[in-house]
Amino acid sequence: MIIIYDYLVVGAGLTGATFAHEATRRGKKCLVTDKRKHIAGNAYTKDVDGIHVHEYGAHIFHTNNKAVWDFVNRFAVFNHYINAPIARIGDELYNLPFNMNTFNKMWGVITPREAMEKIEAQRGVSANSVPQNLEEQAICLVGREIYEKLIKGYTEKQWGRLCSELPASIIKRLPLRFTYNNNYFNDIYQGIPIGGYTQMVQNMLHGVDVQLGISYEEYNKNNPNRVKKVIYTGAIDAFYDYCFGHLAYRSLRFDTTRLEESNYQGNAVVNYTAADVPYTRVIEHKHFEFGTQAHTIITHEYPTAWTPKKEPYYPINDSKNQALYLKYKELAGKQDSVIFCGRLGTYAYLDMDKAVSEALALVNVLIP
């Protein structure tokens, strides 16, 4: 018997799993495929000796959207993990995001007024002009000393370009506050699913047909005319065989090691901001779930140049790539059998809660 699917969902990450779950709940027949051999996309966590390892970098769920929070809590119990990363340069440690603890360690200031005065004195002419690049934006926000110590080296490693060549908009993602508060996010709801993201996504996909290790092109070739509509969360330029050229990304390489000690660095995430340290951060996975194992697992994260054979992580949203994306978007608008969504389908950096909310919104449009 040939099964005809209402929706072929390409990609088993949070966007695809959310859409497939809700569409199935509303009576539609869905098939989820993924070229990888696992579900959960970049949020995939692997159980390694009792520790849930974030295989594609640290993922902390945070949102102000109660509907999204209620939705994900249907599939997992979340712990109370709060993201409070540390920045390390040499033997010096600083709290992130930039807050009164950071300013006290940097300058010995005690009050918010003292910190503001110190930053103001270091802003120079940047405070009176519109920042033209990331370097100018950073100095305008936090002054030259914090920029030089905690931003410049890390950012240039992350993007593979000088800060003076990067758009100012990138640095606006960094929180800045004048309280003694190390909570990186201001969102009301935060945490990590107990048991890992993979288990959460598996629960989302309960009752949904899933095929792993198969590309969209391979499935289409072997199963012609089996689907009514495609929800495509892969790269939009790859779908069109790069007919206008490749959209640019930055990629990452991960080096994961088991250590026979119970606590390596005392924190889940430590950023290394010095330019001469090749990695940007070290992740100690057990701390995401307050692990008490006698051993630990750490991952060194290395930013790398992207090629079509590497995983695309961060879109390079400069004017050239945005213009290229708009050409693909215009092409996509000429067909209604395929809908592009997710971070790769829309060439956008999406936090996990945004991926879920956009997928829920899409279901509401297609299946009222």
Side-chain angles (χ1 to χ4, degrees):
M1 177 181 177
I2 296 177
I3 300 176
I4 302 297
Y5 292 97
D6 295 296
Y7 294 101
L8 168 63
V9 181
V10 180
L14 281 180
T15 299
T18 298
F19 182 91
H21 173 85
E22 277 299 293
T24 300
R25 191 179 68 83
R26 300 183 190 194
K28 301 299 181 181
K29 185 70 175 176
C30 294
L31 170 67
V32 175
T33 65
D34 202 298
K35 64 182 180 181
R36 292 172 174 172
K37 295 184 179 180
H38 63 72
I39 61 173
N42 283 359
Y44 173 68
T45 49
K46 182 179 180 181
D47 188 328
V48 180
D49 299 328
I51 297 173
H52 295 110
V53 174
H54 294 218
E55 290 276 289
Y56 300 95
H59 283 73
I60 298 98
F61 202 95
H62 58 98
T63 187
N64 281 320
N65 189 326
K66 188 175 186 303
V68 167
W69 183 246
D70 290 343
F71 177 80
V72 295
N73 273 267
R74 287 158 50 188
F75 311 102
V77 175
F78 280 71
N79 67 20
H80 59 280
Y81 176 83
I82 296 296
N83 191 31
I86 298 292
R88 176 174 177 176
I89 182 165
D91 292 330
E92 297 178 39
L93 299 175
Y94 293 90
N95 290 107
L96 297 176
F98 303 129
N99 66 72
M100 285 304 300
N101 290 306
T102 318
F103 308 143
N104 175 264
K105 178 69 178 288
M106 184 73 66
W107 302 310
V109 298
I110 302 297
T111 68
R113 176 180 291 180
E114 291 174 315
M116 291 177 189
E117 289 174 350
K118 192 74 174 179
I119 291 171
E120 187 64 33
Q122 294 191 13
R123 281 174 169 167
V125 296
S126 295
N128 300 314
S129 60
V130 177
Q132 298 301 305
N133 54 53
L134 187 148
E135 180 173 281
E136 292 181 4
Q137 176 69 55
I139 294 172
C140 185
L141 282 173
V142 297
R144 183 165 293 278
E145 192 172 353
I146 287 182
Y147 166 70
E148 294 285 353
K149 267 194 170 184
L150 304 182
I151 297 176
K152 187 176 189 296
Y154 183 94
T155 304
E156 291 183 348
K157 288 187 292 185
Q158 182 78 5
W159 293 100
R161 294 163 63 182
L162 296 175
C163 287
S164 58
E165 298 174 354
L166 290 165
S169 59
I170 291 177
I171 209 69
K172 290 176 182 177
R173 289 181 56 83
L174 286 175
L176 177 69
R177 56 175 71 106
F178 293 91
T179 58
Y180 289 90
N181 178 8
N182 297 325
N183 185 346
Y184 194 87
F185 302 116
N186 288 316
D187 299 287
I188 299 172
Y189 309 107
Q190 301 180 43
I192 303 283
I194 298 172
Y197 287 99
T198 302
Q199 180 176 291
M200 182 185 82
V201 174
Q202 185 175 21
N203 291 337
M204 293 170 70
L205 292 173
H206 178 74
V208 179
D209 290 346
V210 178
Q211 290 187 27
L212 301 176
I214 185 170
S215 68
Y216 169 72
E217 294 78 13
E218 184 181 358
Y219 178 83
N220 248 6
K221 179 180 178 181
N222 296 333
N223 302 275
N225 304 316
R226 292 274 298 275
V227 299
K228 298 177 182 178
K229 193 178 287 288
V230 176
I231 306 299
Y232 193 85
T233 72
I236 190 171
D237 55 344
F239 181 89
Y240 290 110
D241 199 25
Y242 310 104
C243 63
F244 299 129
H246 288 84
L247 290 166
Y249 291 87
R250 284 291 283 172
S251 192
L252 296 169
R253 176 174 66 84
F254 303 101
D255 183 4
T256 299
T257 307
R258 173 182 166 134
L259 301 176
E260 298 308 316
E261 55 185 289
S262 63
N263 191 355
Y264 173 73
Q265 64 185 17
N267 205 50
V269 181
V270 176
N271 291 355
Y272 284 75
T273 65
D276 58 354
V277 177
Y279 43 87
T280 49
R281 57 183 180 175
V282 175
I283 299 167
E284 188 167 9
H285 301 271
K286 68 187 300 179
H287 295 309
F288 289 127
E289 297 187 62
F290 314 109
T292 59
Q293 298 89 346
H295 62 281
T296 193
I297 297 175
I298 64 170
T299 297
H300 289 75
E301 189 172 299
Y302 297 83
T304 65
W306 176 81
T307 67
K309 292 185 178 181
K310 293 182 179 180
E311 179 65 27
Y313 285 93
Y314 304 108
I316 299 178
N317 292 121
D318 55 18
S319 56
K320 176 183 175 182
N321 282 286
Q322 276 303 112
L324 184 57
Y325 166 68
L326 291 176
K327 292 174 71 174
Y328 283 115
K329 184 179 179 181
E330 182 181 5
L331 190 59
K334 296 177 181 178
Q335 60 184 86
D336 60 5
S337 60
V338 180
I339 296 174
F340 295 89
C341 57
R343 64 183 184 91
L344 299 179
T346 60
Y347 193 62
Y349 183 92
L350 293 180
D351 287 330
M352 288 185 287
D353 66 322
K354 298 298 189 297
V356 171
S357 66
E358 290 187 7
L360 292 173
L362 181 59
V363 175
N364 288 333
V365 170
L366 296 177
I367 318 168

